[in-house]
Amino acid sequence: MSVGSRLFRALRANVGHAVRRLGRDRLEADPELELPELDAEGPSAEERAHYQRQRQRAAAARSRRDELEKAYRALELDWGADAAAIKQAHRRLLRQFHPDRFANDPERLEDATRLSQELTIARDTLLDAIEKGVISPS
């Protein structure tokens, strides 16, 4: 066995040990965190599929959170506003940017139409999330 191969094996063993130790430390800090068991052969196909599904669920949750944050920003609200505040903000902003106010200016009319649609989508998104229990209003 060449020196390079031996060094590579030693490095791989040390990295595996460090990763396992780091995993234990992370698991102690967050008991709900699931970490793969590392062995010489690596994770099985079933384990890889399980962790892939976990990553996909986490990405979907981050995406949903980003979508809700964007909706709150569109309505100029802080995170956790209740349904009444959401409806009130929607009405206030819609009064300000309603397309009928810009009937004589085609360029501003187009912008107001787009903005009113975005405001309505944001309101519906947040109200739906509150109804489903995704967000608990504070």
Side-chain angles (χ1 to χ4, degrees):
M1 181 180 303
S2 72
V3 173
S5 296
R6 287 182 181 176
L7 284 174
F8 177 74
R9 285 184 176 194
L11 178 64
R12 186 174 62 182
N14 286 331
V15 167
H17 175 72
V19 168
R20 283 189 295 276
R21 188 178 57 222
L22 176 65
R24 281 192 301 273
D25 293 345
R26 286 181 61 198
L27 190 57
E28 289 171 4
D30 185 3
E32 294 182 12
L33 181 66
E34 292 185 38
L35 296 172
E37 291 295 324
L38 298 175
D39 55 12
E41 298 173 8
S44 68
E46 182 180 310
E47 290 170 327
R48 284 192 303 272
H50 170 74
Y51 296 115
Q52 178 66 27
R53 286 190 302 273
Q54 264 189 329
R55 285 190 298 273
Q56 288 171 344
R57 283 192 299 269
R62 281 190 305 275
S63 173
R64 181 67 175 162
R65 171 116 180 152
D66 291 344
E67 178 185 346
L68 294 173
E69 286 178 353
K70 181 180 175 186
Y72 274 118
R73 280 193 310 271
L75 292 173
E76 300 175 354
L77 293 171
D78 292 328
W79 181 267
D82 63 351
I86 292 168
K87 291 175 186 177
Q88 183 180 13
H90 176 259
R91 280 192 302 271
R92 176 180 50 81
L93 291 169
L94 202 54
R95 257 182 280 156
Q96 186 178 353
F97 298 108
H98 197 279
D100 289 348
R101 296 189 66 204
F102 306 101
N104 296 332
D105 187 356
E107 189 174 305
R108 291 183 74 189
L109 174 65
E110 184 179 319
D111 291 340
T113 302
R114 180 188 47 76
L115 184 58
S116 66
Q117 290 170 349
E118 289 176 9
L119 291 172
T120 302
I121 290 170
R123 179 204 59 197
D124 294 344
T125 300
L126 292 174
L127 292 177
D128 186 51
I130 288 173
E131 183 179 309
K132 290 181 178 178
V134 175
I135 308 172
S136 57
S138 51

